[in-house]
Amino acid sequence: MLNRPKSRLNNLLMTSHKPTRRSSAWLDSPDLYGWLRRAALKSEGFSKQLSENRPIIGICNTWSELTHCNIHLRDLAESVKQGVESAGGLPLEFPVMSLGEYNMVPTAMMYRNLLSMEVEESILANPLDGVVLLAGCDKTTPALLMGATSANIPAILVTGGPQLKSVWRGEELGTCTDCRRYQQELRSGNITNQDWEDLQNVIINSPGHCGVMGTASTMAAIGEALGIALPGNTSIPAAHPERHTLARKSGETIIDMVNHNIYPRKILTENSFINAIRVIHAIGGSTNAIVHLIAIAGRAGINLPLSIFDKLSKTTPLLVNLKPSGKYLMEDFHKVGGLQAVLSQLNPILNSNVENISGKTLDETVSDVAVEKNDVIHNLNNPISMEGGLAVLHGSLAPNGAIIKQTAASPNLLNHQGRAVVFENHEDMENRIDDPRLDVCPKDILVMRNSGPIGGPGMPEWGLIPIPKKLAKSGVKDMVRISDARISGTAFGTVVVHVTPESAIGGPIAAVQNGDLISIDVSERKLDILVSHSEIKRRLKESKYSVQTPNRGYQWLYSRHILQADKGCDFDFLIPDYEN
Ligand code: FES
């Protein structure tokens, strides 16, 4: 049993006249500020709700015109409000920073922790009895879950839902797995620039997040698997009316949670995290989910070592046939039952007595879910593969671990030795990858460094190093690629990422030289540089790896406190110490 920290809430309630409801510590305060807070809410038109002493529910909204995936969250907030009001609460919407995956440089990941801090502080600083978290695009969901877990008042997640499929020349497509595939076709000369532009005009044809099992879909699935989002949240398309029904129901549910004091760290237990890891493997989830889940668990005071992800990968079959690992899209997934169908299949190997926000056990929640035979969600007796989607590699190149999505890789490259072709950083790679003079052949292994949490900075999604043009033109579609970067959850190929420690802090990847032999063996979970330990040590001593250290602002804070990928890339000072 974890000890809980003394929160500001507890301090406030201890001095409050009516300790039963959190908001009363603000609104019933006998001083001038208690009076002013009521006056302020009356000025917004809430006199009646105040006289009825309604619980106050924050709606934490990541809507922004800079984040196309979240563009419909203002509308969705209205449905949440209807639910809150109908259940007797007073909803108050508040904006927080939004993290648009396409727009933010160097990467939205760099700001995940900042958003999580904003969420935590916004919740703790205000008279809220509960909070509904509206997220969607990749990093918004983990950031909101991290912040709400730290704040630890009743919280429910509502994600925006995936985009509808798009159709181009008779083919059903999803962002952005198919964008990447067609980019490769463009580089190979198989489509024209005009084709590429035509595709751009149709590829995103509805609100919502990417319509494949990328990071956004995986994080939504994690929310549902952890029990902090309602059943169905993962896959109901953003443009479907059911999404509003779910939002309304979530607004009603948060009132129940406040009344029964169901808060995040009651739900987010070791057993629910183990369930979430199995779900990541079974759905062929994003490599990014590992980093995010470690960070969310860390906020709950739970340590998830990489070894547990790998252990569970070996005993969790891949059941879901979605891009980028498989062939279908999130809309198809929804039609055959979505995550509830997966959970009902996995139930025999899950901790089925964990409770969700409705106070029901997983077993009770999925017991009535009927799953008809289909090719999108396989059953436990007929899995797509016996092992889960992600594998954790260790070895002399990655002493603290590296990740590969084995189900999105080329089977013939999962056990491979090749010559290293090294790029110093992303810029170097972009400058030389298409140079006809680049000394590279299909069996080589492309290595890129200085792309990690500190080196990037922000660990950008640069891990999908393009196939050198001269090889792409001759028909090469995949090669082994290794980096300390991340990779988009929508990407595919034999790509090893999150090499830890990263090069910027002297990890062995900083010592790799052109022509060194590298060996990858996914079945043995090995990733080695075939150079003696003493030689690696000598090279690291002589190498000039260095990090630019910003001298002010958020980037200053980031560069001093960011943890490595195997620790979830959270800030060291945000990990709680519940023992004290
Ligand atoms: Fe937002 Fe893919 S760009 S989820």
Side-chain angles (χ1 to χ4, degrees):
M1 185 69 183
L2 295 163
N3 292 321
R4 304 298 175 194
K6 273 187 193 161
S7 66
R8 272 175 280 174
L9 164 64
N10 289 339
N11 293 336
L12 277 165
L13 293 183
M14 279 190 283
T15 56
S16 159
H17 292 204
K18 293 180 185 172
T20 48
R21 189 174 288 165
R22 186 174 186 269
S23 58
S24 69
W26 278 257
L27 300 176
D28 298 335
S29 172
D31 60 9
L32 175 64
Y33 280 96
W35 184 88
L36 283 172
R37 287 165 191 143
R38 284 182 170 271
L41 283 172
K42 284 179 179 176
S43 78
E44 292 184 41
F46 298 128
S47 300
K48 182 171 175 287
Q49 291 88 337
L50 276 177
S51 69
E52 291 169 353
N53 194 28
R54 293 179 166 222
I56 299 183
I57 304 301
I59 301 177
C60 174
N61 201 339
T62 53
W63 169 89
S64 167
E65 286 180 339
L66 292 169
T67 308
H68 74 281
C69 302
N70 296 10
I71 198 67
H72 57 309
L73 295 188
R74 293 295 310 282
D75 287 345
L76 212 55
E78 292 306 316
S79 296
V80 174
K81 286 179 188 175
Q82 287 171 13
V84 170
E85 279 165 357
S86 72
L90 167 58
L92 297 177
E93 184 181 352
F94 63 96
V96 287
M97 183 183 190
S98 195
L99 309 178
E101 196 62 29
Y102 292 163
N103 280 331
M104 296 190 86
V105 293
T107 162
M109 179 64 181
M110 188 148 169
Y111 302 98
R112 184 200 63 179
N113 297 347
L114 181 61
L115 173 55
S116 81
M117 291 167 70
E118 186 190 1
V119 170
E120 176 182 351
E121 299 304 324
S122 296
I123 292 172
L124 291 179
N126 281 295
L128 302 177
D129 298 304
V131 62
V132 181
L133 309 166
L134 288 185
C137 196
D138 289 6
K139 308 303 177 293
T140 54
T141 302
L144 266 52
L145 288 176
M146 289 161 71
T149 303
S150 294
N152 206 31
I153 71 166
I156 184 170
L157 173 71
V158 181
T159 51
Q163 292 157 19
L164 296 172
K165 301 173 188 181
S166 52
V167 178
W168 188 58
R169 296 183 179 170
E171 189 188 5
E172 293 182 338
L173 304 176
T175 50
C176 233
T177 302
D178 292 306
C179 323
R180 295 176 203 287
R181 184 165 57 85
Y182 274 108
Q183 186 196 27
Q184 213 160 294
E185 295 298 325
L186 180 71
R187 288 170 57 76
S188 307
N190 296 332
I191 63 167
T192 65
N193 285 328
Q194 185 59 50
D195 294 334
W196 186 230
E197 196 180 324
D198 290 348
L199 178 61
Q200 186 187 58
N201 293 333
V202 299
I203 190 69
I204 303 174
N205 71 346
S206 85
H209 59 70
C210 290
V212 299
M213 191 48 81
T215 303
S217 299
T218 307
M219 293 315 300
I222 282 176
E224 193 172 331
L226 286 170
I228 199 161
L230 287 178
N233 179 65
T234 305
S235 61
I236 298 170
H240 200 294
E242 262 185 73
R243 180 60 55 186
H244 284 274
T245 308
L246 180 123
R248 267 192 294 279
K249 207 170 163 202
S250 300
E252 293 162 10
T253 303
I254 190 70
I255 300 296
D256 273 344
M257 293 170 69
V258 169
N259 290 338
H260 293 95
N261 201 21
I262 299 176
Y263 45 82
R265 295 205 295 262
K266 232 178 198 174
I267 300 161
L268 305 182
T269 60
E270 276 185 35
N271 281 342
S272 63
F273 280 107
I274 285 170
N275 286 350
I277 294 172
R278 284 206 188 271
V279 163
I280 295 171
H281 291 311
I283 63 178
S286 163
T287 50
N288 287 319
I290 294 184
V291 177
H292 298 321
L293 199 66
I294 291 171
I296 298 165
R299 297 296 185 92
I302 295 168
N303 177 33
L304 293 182
L306 283 182
S307 56
I308 196 163
F309 286 85
D310 201 50
K311 190 174 157 206
L312 295 172
S313 172
K314 289 175 179 161
T315 55
T316 309
L318 175 71
L319 300 181
V320 173
N321 191 5
L322 290 194
K323 291 178 180 184
S325 295
K327 57 179 176 180
Y328 297 102
L329 296 162
M330 286 299 287
E331 207 180 324
D332 304 307
F333 183 57
H334 181 60
K335 284 181 185 149
V336 295
L339 197 78
Q340 290 300 300
V342 176
L343 291 171
S344 92
Q345 286 302 316
L346 285 178
N347 199 19
I349 58 170
L350 295 178
N351 297 307
S352 54
N353 57 351
V354 295
E355 288 188 5
N356 61 26
I357 43 180
S358 306
K360 284 186 176 173
T361 65
L362 176 66
D363 211 27
E364 288 165 344
T365 309
V366 300
S367 58
D368 293 337
V369 177
V371 188
E372 287 185 11
K373 198 165 177 248
N374 64 79
D375 190 35
V376 184
I377 302 173
H378 286 225
N379 64 39
L380 208 50
N381 302 323
N382 178 33
I384 298 162
S385 82
M386 292 306 290
E387 281 198 15
L390 303 178
V392 182
L393 311 179
H394 281 92
S396 55
L397 190 52
N400 294 346
I403 309 295
I404 184 169
K405 188 185 249 191
Q406 52 182 336
T407 48
S410 300
N412 63 315
L413 292 175
L414 291 175
N415 182 357
H416 180 76
Q417 261 189 33
R419 221 172 45 127
V421 175
V422 181
F423 301 99
E424 274 310 311
N425 51 40
H426 186 248
E427 193 183 357
D428 179 37
M429 184 278 291
E430 286 202 313
N431 287 340
R432 294 195 294 123
I433 194 76
D434 290 338
D435 188 333
R437 294 164 301 176
L438 182 70
D439 179 15
V440 65
C441 69
K443 284 187 163 179
D444 288 342
I445 293 180
L446 307 178
V447 177
M448 183 175 66
R449 54 188 166 223
N450 288 307
S451 308
I454 291 174
M459 209 182 175
E461 292 183 342
W462 290 337
L464 188 68
I465 303 168
I467 303 296
K469 209 171 210 169
K470 68 180 182 186
L471 299 182
K473 277 186 170 166
S474 66
V476 176
K477 299 233 182 273
D478 195 10
M479 295 172 73
V480 177
R481 288 157 271 181
I482 298 173
S483 72
D484 46 13
R486 290 178 304 115
I487 186 177
S488 164
T490 62
F492 53 91
T494 312
V495 183
V496 178
V497 284
H498 306 192
V499 167
T500 309
E502 64 173 302
S503 59
I505 60 167
I509 190 171
V512 183
Q513 293 181 353
N514 282 323
D516 287 344
L517 273 183
I518 290 177
S519 168
I520 176 172
D521 186 343
V522 175
S523 63
E524 293 294 319
R525 305 297 201 251
K526 297 290 290 173
L527 182 66
D528 290 302
I529 169 174
L530 303 183
V531 170
S532 71
H533 186 61
S534 55
E535 173 63 8
I536 294 175
K537 236 174 137 184
R538 186 192 67 75
R539 289 183 192 174
L540 285 177
K541 218 170 166 188
E542 286 179 5
S543 74
K544 299 182 223 72
Y545 61 84
S546 67
V547 194
Q548 276 190 341
T549 312
N551 58 13
R552 65 170 293 281
Y554 176 68
Q555 301 207 357
W556 174 88
L557 180 81
Y558 176 96
S559 66
R560 276 160 181 77
H561 295 284
I562 190 74
L563 296 170
Q564 290 286 285
D566 62 324
K567 304 288 182 220
C569 294
D570 204 353
F571 290 149
D572 51 11
F573 60 85
L574 293 174
I575 307 293
D577 179 4
Y578 291 128
E579 302 310 319
N580 297 320

